[in-house]
Amino acid sequence: MAGKNQTEVLIDGRIYTLSGYESEEYLQRVASYLSSKIGEIKRSEGYNRLSRDLKSIMLDLNVADDYFKTKKKADGFEEQIAEKDREIYDVKRELVALQVELETASKTIESLKDSRTEDQKKIAALEARLGQRPNNNGSAGRRN
C-alpha cells in the first residue's frame, strides 16, 4: 500500500495541511473545489448575516447538491453505456448470423459451380456423340 501524501492547500484564503492516500494533485483539486464553492456561497445575498453553523450547512448542502447532480449524470451515462453494450451485442449476434449465412451461400455457390462444370462436361460429351452419329440420310455427317 502506498504511503500517505501530505500537502499544503489553500482554502478560502487560509493554508491547511491535508494528508491522504490520494495524490497531491488530487488533494489540491479537492481543496480548489471547496474553496471555489465557499467563494460562490459568499456571493449569496445575506451570507454575511448567517451564523457560522448556517454557513457551514450551506456549504454542505451545496456540495451535496453538486454530488447528487453529478451522480445523476453518471447514472445516466452508465445507462447509456449499458444500452450501447446491448446494441453492440445485438449487432455482433447479427454479424455472426450473417457470416453463417454468407458461408452457407458461398458453399452453395461452389456446389453450383461444380454442378455447372459437370453439366458442361456432360453437354460436351453429348455434343461429341451427336457429332459422330449418322444423319437421317444414312451418311455420317457429309456435307454437300
Side-chain angles (χ1 to χ4, degrees), residues 58-118:
M58 274 189 69
L59 177 62
D60 293 344
L61 287 171
N62 275 271
V63 169
D65 180 53
D66 286 352
Y67 167 79
F68 284 109
K69 286 177 180 174
T70 302
K71 179 145 179 33
K72 183 177 180 179
K73 279 184 187 178
D75 291 345
F77 289 143
E78 286 178 9
E79 181 54 39
Q80 287 177 359
I81 289 170
E83 179 62 30
K84 295 297 179 195
D85 285 345
R86 285 189 292 273
E87 288 175 15
I88 288 170
Y89 174 79
D90 290 344
V91 167
K92 284 181 179 179
R93 197 176 68 220
E94 185 178 345
L95 176 62
V96 168
L98 289 171
Q99 286 172 329
V100 168
E101 194 176 319
L102 176 61
E103 188 175 318
T104 302
S106 293
K107 286 179 181 176
T108 301
I109 288 170
E110 285 303 312
S111 175
L112 289 172
K113 282 180 180 178
D114 291 344
S115 178
R116 183 186 70 192
T117 301
E118 289 299 314

Side-chain angles (χ1 to χ4, degrees), residues 27-42:
L27 295 174
Q28 289 291 343
R29 273 197 343 250
V30 170
S32 176
Y33 167 77
L34 194 55
S35 191
S36 71
K37 246 330 149 180
I38 292 169
E40 191 180 302
I41 293 170
K42 279 184 171 183

Side-chain angles (χ1 to χ4, degrees), residues 12-44:
D12 193 29
R14 296 167 83 186
I15 295 175
Y16 296 91
T17 301
L18 294 182
S19 65
Y21 293 104
E22 292 81 8
S23 69
E24 288 183 31
E25 178 186 314
Y26 176 78
L27 295 174
Q28 289 291 343
R29 273 197 343 250
V30 170
S32 176
Y33 167 77
L34 194 55
S35 191
S36 71
K37 246 330 149 180
I38 292 169
E40 191 180 302
I41 293 170
K42 279 184 171 183
R43 290 188 292 276
S44 299

